[in-house]
């Protein structure tokens, strides 16, 4: 969902998701008695707010990837009218080779799990920082110093800034449950806030 969040953030006021189709791979989870997908791919149709032209995004996530040289294989590719962006988040330019261990590309984790001098030292990791910012925002709202809407400026993930991404994920789940039938995202009067999801009519 991170790249869906990224798409929503970068396309704010430019485009909105209007249709989602979900497909999946199965086998590994089923063989372990879990009724769930191994990997999921969502194809999302985006509509340009200015001229109603259409764009297409494909998002894939899998929990059954084999052990590789990185913690997780994360990639992002964008092709637009006037250029493209290719990001390899998995390989960040640092590799490690050790006796008795496989070659690895260092990819910082969400948390620092190893202690320093026997004490927790993960305060600076982005996993902890995100919780710290959330708690600080809650305290400011509860003290009357800020409103919830003040954080809809993109400084924090809020209901207001993630509503379209949430609709994409829900529409994807509904599409998967309907054997891949596309789902349309229905918008309210403001044209920004999803108010429902319905099966696409061909």
């Amino acid at each position: 969902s991170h790249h869906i969040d990224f798409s929503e953030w970068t396309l704010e006021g430019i485009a909105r998701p209007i249709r989602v189709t979900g497909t999946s791979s199965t086998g590994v989870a089923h063989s372990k008695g879990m009724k769930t997908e191994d990997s999921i791919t969502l194809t999302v149709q985006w509509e340009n707010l200015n001229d109603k032209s259409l764009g297409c995004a494909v998002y894939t996530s899998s929990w059954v990837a084999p052990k590789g040289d990185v913690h997780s294989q994360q990639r992002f590719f964008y092709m637009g009218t006037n250029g493209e962006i290719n990001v390899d988040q998995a390989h960040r330019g640092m590799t490690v080779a050790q006796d008795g261990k496989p070659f690895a590309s260092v990819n910082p984790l969400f948390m620092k799990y190893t202690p320093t001098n026997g004490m927790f030292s993960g305060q600076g990791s982005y996993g902890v920082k995100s919780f710290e910012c959330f708690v600080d925002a809650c305290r400011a709202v509860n003290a009357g110093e800020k409103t919830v809407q003040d954080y809809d400026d993109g400084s924090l993930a809020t209901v207001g800034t993630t509503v379209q991404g949430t609709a994409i994920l829900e529409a994807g789940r509904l599409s998967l449950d309907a054997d891949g039938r596309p789902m349309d995202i229905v918008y309210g009067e403001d044209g920004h806030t999803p108010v429902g999801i319905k099966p696409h009519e061909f």
Side-chain angles (χ1 to χ4, degrees), residues 52-73:
K52 305 302 181 194
S53 60
L54 299 175
C56 179
V58 180
Y59 307 96
T60 298
S61 182
S62 177
W63 69 272
V64 297
K67 184 164 178 58
D69 64 323
V70 293
H71 176 66
S72 62
Q73 295 284 356

Side-chain angles (χ1 to χ4, degrees), residues 14-37:
I14 299 170
R16 65 182 186 175
I18 59 170
R19 184 167 302 128
V20 181
T21 304
T23 56
S24 67
S25 301
T26 60
V28 175
H30 289 184
S31 72
K32 298 180 181 298
M34 296 178 279
K35 191 177 179 187
T36 190
E37 301 85 6

Side-chain angles (χ1 to χ4, degrees), residues 38-182:
D38 296 334
S39 61
I40 294 173
T41 296
L42 301 182
T43 302
V44 180
Q45 188 127 66
W46 290 81
E47 178 185 61
N48 186 308
L49 298 176
N50 185 38
D51 63 8
K52 305 302 181 194
S53 60
L54 299 175
C56 179
V58 180
Y59 307 96
T60 298
S61 182
S62 177
W63 69 272
V64 297
K67 184 164 178 58
D69 64 323
V70 293
H71 176 66
S72 62
Q73 295 284 356
Q74 297 182 42
R75 288 177 176 76
F76 179 85
F77 175 72
Y78 168 82
M79 182 176 61
T81 305
N82 298 314
E84 67 181 42
I85 301 169
N86 200 341
V87 179
D88 181 356
Q89 289 180 269
H91 301 92
R92 302 182 184 192
M94 182 175 171
T95 59
V96 175
Q98 294 175 292
D99 288 339
K101 293 186 178 181
F103 179 76
S105 294
V106 178
N107 185 341
L109 295 173
F110 182 72
M111 269 288 298
K112 181 181 184 299
Y113 297 99
T114 55
T116 301
N117 299 323
M119 304 292 286
F120 173 76
S121 59
Q123 298 90 335
S125 61
Y126 72 90
V128 173
K129 282 288 188 189
S130 61
F131 281 106
E132 180 183 347
C133 291
F134 174 75
V135 170
D136 288 347
C138 290
R139 294 177 76 181
V141 169
N142 289 338
E145 300 164 2
K146 296 264 191 178
T147 68
V148 172
Q149 291 74 25
D150 288 336
Y151 294 100
D152 284 341
D153 63 356
S155 59
L156 283 178
T158 67
V159 171
T161 61
T162 62
V163 65
Q164 290 180 354
T166 302
I168 288 172
L169 295 173
E170 178 65 16
R173 178 74 262 163
L174 292 172
S175 176
L176 288 167
D177 292 344
D179 292 326
R181 182 172 182 177

